[in-house]
Amino acid sequence: MENNIWVWIDQSGGIVDPIAWEMISAGRSLAGPMGGQVVACVLGDGVDGLAQAAIERGADTAILVDDATLALYQLEAYAASLVGVAKEHQPAVLLIGASSRGRELAAYTAADVRRIKGLGTAEISRVLGYSNGDEVIHRDDLV
C-alpha cells in the first residue's frame, strides 16, 4: 500500500471541473504528514494534457488512463478503470470532488464499502477478493 493521496481529475470533453484543482490542494495537506505524494488520476480519451495541467496545479505526478472507451463519461467504464488502477497501486486515500459526476462515481465505488460494513478486518479481503488496507473511511458528503 502506498502513502500517496490520489485525486480524481473530473473532466468532460477535456475541460476540468474546478473542484479537481481544489482536491489537489486538499491532497497536498494530507500528503505531507503521511510522507506521500499527490497523484492526479486522469481518465478519458486524449487527455494526456490534463495530466500535465494537474502537475502544474500541484500534483507531484499523474496516472493516466487514456482509452477511447472513456471519451464520454459513463459510470461503469469510469468506475471500472478507477477501481482497477486503485487496486493495482493501492493509494492511501482517494479524493473525489463533490461534483455531480464525482458524487455518482464515489457512490458507485462505495458499493464495496457497503459489502464489507460490519465485517472484521480478516474478512474484508475474502469478501472483496482484494485488500486496500485494514481501514475504510467514508463520508456521504464529500469535500
Side-chain angles (χ1 to χ4, degrees):
M1 182 162 161
E2 300 176 355
N3 285 338
N4 294 337
I5 309 300
W6 279 22
V7 177
W8 176 61
I9 303 301
D10 184 357
Q11 62 84 25
S12 178
I15 306 298
V16 175
D17 187 309
I19 199 163
W21 307 141
E22 294 175 27
M23 293 295 97
I24 288 175
S25 294
R28 175 70 45 218
S29 67
L30 294 171
M34 294 178 68
Q37 294 186 322
V38 176
V39 179
C41 189
V42 183
L43 310 177
D45 182 33
V47 293
D48 49 335
L50 299 183
Q52 183 58 40
I55 291 169
E56 291 169 2
R57 300 254 183 171
D60 295 302
T61 189
I63 289 182
L64 178 65
V65 181
D66 195 332
D67 190 291
T69 63
L70 302 173
L72 298 175
Y73 174 79
Q74 295 176 333
L75 175 59
E76 291 81 7
Y78 268 65
S81 294
L82 186 59
V83 169
V85 294
K87 283 181 184 178
E88 181 181 341
H89 296 279
Q90 298 189 6
V93 175
L94 170 60
L95 297 177
I96 299 176
S99 65
S100 59
R101 286 183 299 270
R103 286 180 184 271
E104 180 181 51
L105 184 61
Y108 190 87
T109 54
D112 280 352
V113 173
R114 285 190 293 279
R115 290 176 56 204
I116 63 172
K117 184 177 179 181
L119 296 179
T121 301
E123 297 173 276
I124 291 174
S125 61
R126 178 187 56 78
V127 170
L128 295 180
Y130 67 93
S131 175
N132 284 337
D134 295 339
E135 298 179 61
V136 175
I137 301 169
H138 181 266
R139 283 184 48 190
D140 290 332
D141 296 322
L142 303 173
V143 176

